Amino acid sequence: MHRTKVRIVEDALDANNTIASANRADFDRAGVTVVNFMSAPGAGKTTLLERVAADLPGVRVGVLEGDVEGSIDADRLASLHVPVTQLNTGAGFGGECHLDANMVRLAIPALPLDEIDLLLVENVGNLVCPAEFRIGEDARVMVSAVTEGEDKPLKYPLMFRACELVIVNKIDLLPHLDFDLDKLLYNIDVVHPDVETIVLSARTGEGVEAWREWLLRIAPREEAIA
Amino acid sequence: MHRTKVRIVEDALDANNTIASANRADFDRAGVTVVNFMSAPGAGKTTLLERVAADLPGVRVGVLEGDVEGSIDADRLASLHVPVTQLNTGAGFGGECHLDANMVRLAIPALPLDEIDLLLVENVGNLVCPAEFRIGEDARVMVSAVTEGEDKPLKYPLMFRACELVIVNKIDLLPHLDFDLDKLLYNIDVVHPDVETIVLSARTGEGVEAWREWLLRIAPREEAIA
């Protein structure tokens, strides 16, 4: 029984990887770099997108918003005048807790791939399953808010291990928390040695410049392509 | 294809409900009230258990700790001298993002059901799937931290709808956030009209008495059973 279950799961992940490769090929053909942006609910993903999406010189940004229901984040981002596409996962039973390659595949015809250089995909807020499903991205970034505690890397190691960049957010609240930033950074290093980290506050803007620079580093510039 | 997928999902939930009923029968026979305790990662579930688990007069408490990996929370609770059982979901592929009825069923032989009146089950931190899987509980309680923003009920409606009680935590941070408490309470009421709410700070203890009283109200007392 257990063996059967494991095999079904492996088949599901194999199928996902196959579709992710097809997505990746489409993105590559269009010259679009794709970032899979993940975190627990309320860690500040949308605010971090608001901070940079309209302010990356020479890089045309698009956003794909993954949510169980509604379009609150897409509505927030609409004022930035970057193309935003909404993807709702609520069609699966009570709602899927992550994006997978096939959901992104179904969204591709709605994406203005010829008009963007960088696609920022905001995943469903969840520290488990989003890390298990590739979507055809070039890089995975996660946000860990200091309000969530220092132990999250140890409790959700796959998420921290799966990422090329870990953003530590909400440091403006540090004076009001019983929280040891060094301990969080140590725990991140335990589960993913030498992973790049950026410590910032999306609210005050402190440290956001490093996040902008990271995106500029991975995104193709218009002039570079032309 | 879509139809097949839906049917498999329904079968999985049917199977889960059947096992949940068997769990419920076992808990009823033992006279144990079971609370399924859910939230996003880092919302404060463990601190809220620490606050009350050893301080419910006449109620013998046990805790079942659900985590993807590790036993950090169980270790924290051990100092309270209440029986704590650890359940890790990491055996499923990258780790299951929720407890289901069968995982709890497998844990039942390890639970001291004859020695407790109230079992507090701390689910995996996640606002989606834990709401979809009954485990044989009497009541479902969720924690929403004010640091997560006012929009969470609208983005994760099933979780807020599935609960008998919504605890709003971390109100000690309100002076330092751009957060409208009335707006959160309004959004909770939109998705789950008239659901009971308790507003508190697990850190300072403000409002924790109402949480303790809520548990005393649903838990059977030793004297009442004897």
Side-chain angles (χ1 to χ4, degrees), chain B residues 3-153:
Chain B
R3 249 171 106 178
T4 313
K5 189 179 167 197
V6 169
R7 208 176 52 203
I8 291 169
V9 166
E10 278 174 359
D11 284 353
L13 287 180
D14 279 351
N16 186 73
N17 285 335
T18 301
I19 301 170
S21 298
N23 293 349
R24 182 63 180 271
D26 285 354
F27 295 138
D28 282 348
R29 252 191 305 277
V32 173
T33 297
V34 178
V35 173
N36 186 355
F37 200 35
M38 306 181 283
S39 79
K45 291 189 297 304
T46 311
T47 309
L48 281 165
L49 293 184
E50 285 179 312
R51 279 277 181 189
V52 298
D55 195 17
L56 295 172
V59 179
R60 299 168 303 171
V61 173
V63 176
L64 180 60
E65 270 298 332
D67 285 298
V68 178
E69 274 194 33
S71 61
I72 292 174
D73 294 341
D75 298 343
R76 277 173 65 184
L77 292 164
S79 62
L80 298 176
H81 304 292
V82 298
V84 179
T85 306
Q86 179 72 50
L87 185 54
N88 284 120
T89 71
F93 48 144
E96 293 290 342
C97 63
H98 59 277
L99 297 180
D100 66 22
N102 198 48
M103 296 179 211
V104 172
R105 183 123 206 97
L106 294 171
I108 286 181
L111 295 172
L113 291 186
D114 294 339
E115 294 156 32
I116 60 174
D117 308 303
L118 176 66
L119 179 66
L120 301 170
V121 182
E122 185 172 346
N123 215 311
V124 179
N126 181 352
L127 289 185
V128 186
C129 302
E132 293 164 357
F133 291 86
R134 308 288 317 211
I135 57 172
E137 70 277 68
D138 294 271
R140 299 198 272 188
V141 177
M142 77 155 294
V143 187
S144 185
V146 295
T147 44
E148 296 164 16
E150 303 100 340
D151 59 355
K152 292 303 159 290

Side-chain angles (χ1 to χ4, degrees), chain A residues 2 5-6 9 13 40-43 45-46 65 67-70 72-73 76 91-97 100 103 122-129 132-133 147-149 151-152 154-158 161 170 172-173 175-178 203, chain B residues 2 5-6 9 13 40-43 45-46 65 67-70 72-73 76 91-97 100 103 122-129 132-133 147-149 151-152 154-158 161 170 172-173 175-178 203:
Chain A
H2 182 66
K5 189 180 167 195
V6 170
V9 166
L13 287 181
K45 291 188 299 303
T46 311
E65 271 296 333
D67 285 299
V68 178
E69 276 194 33
I72 293 173
D73 293 342
R76 277 173 65 183
F93 49 144
E96 294 290 342
C97 63
D100 66 22
M103 295 179 212
E122 184 173 345
N123 216 310
V124 179
N126 180 352
L127 289 185
V128 187
C129 301
E132 295 165 355
F133 292 86
T147 45
E148 296 164 15
D151 59 356
K152 292 303 160 292
L154 307 179
K155 294 177 77 176
Y156 303 90
L158 182 66
R161 224 171 262 146
K170 306 197 186 182
D172 55 293
L173 294 175
H176 315 295
L177 300 173
D178 307 314
R203 186 177 174 230
Chain B
H2 182 65
K5 189 179 167 197
V6 169
V9 166
L13 287 180
K45 291 189 297 304
T46 311
E65 270 298 332
D67 285 298
V68 178
E69 274 194 33
I72 292 174
D73 294 341
R76 277 173 65 184
F93 48 144
E96 293 290 342
C97 63
D100 66 22
M103 296 179 211
E122 185 172 346
N123 215 311
V124 179
N126 181 352
L127 289 185
V128 186
C129 302
E132 293 164 357
F133 291 86
T147 44
E148 296 164 16
D151 59 355
K152 292 303 159 290
L154 308 178
K155 293 178 76 176
Y156 304 90
L158 182 66
R161 225 171 259 146
K170 306 198 186 181
D172 56 293
L173 294 174
H176 315 295
L177 301 172
D178 306 313
R203 184 175 175 233

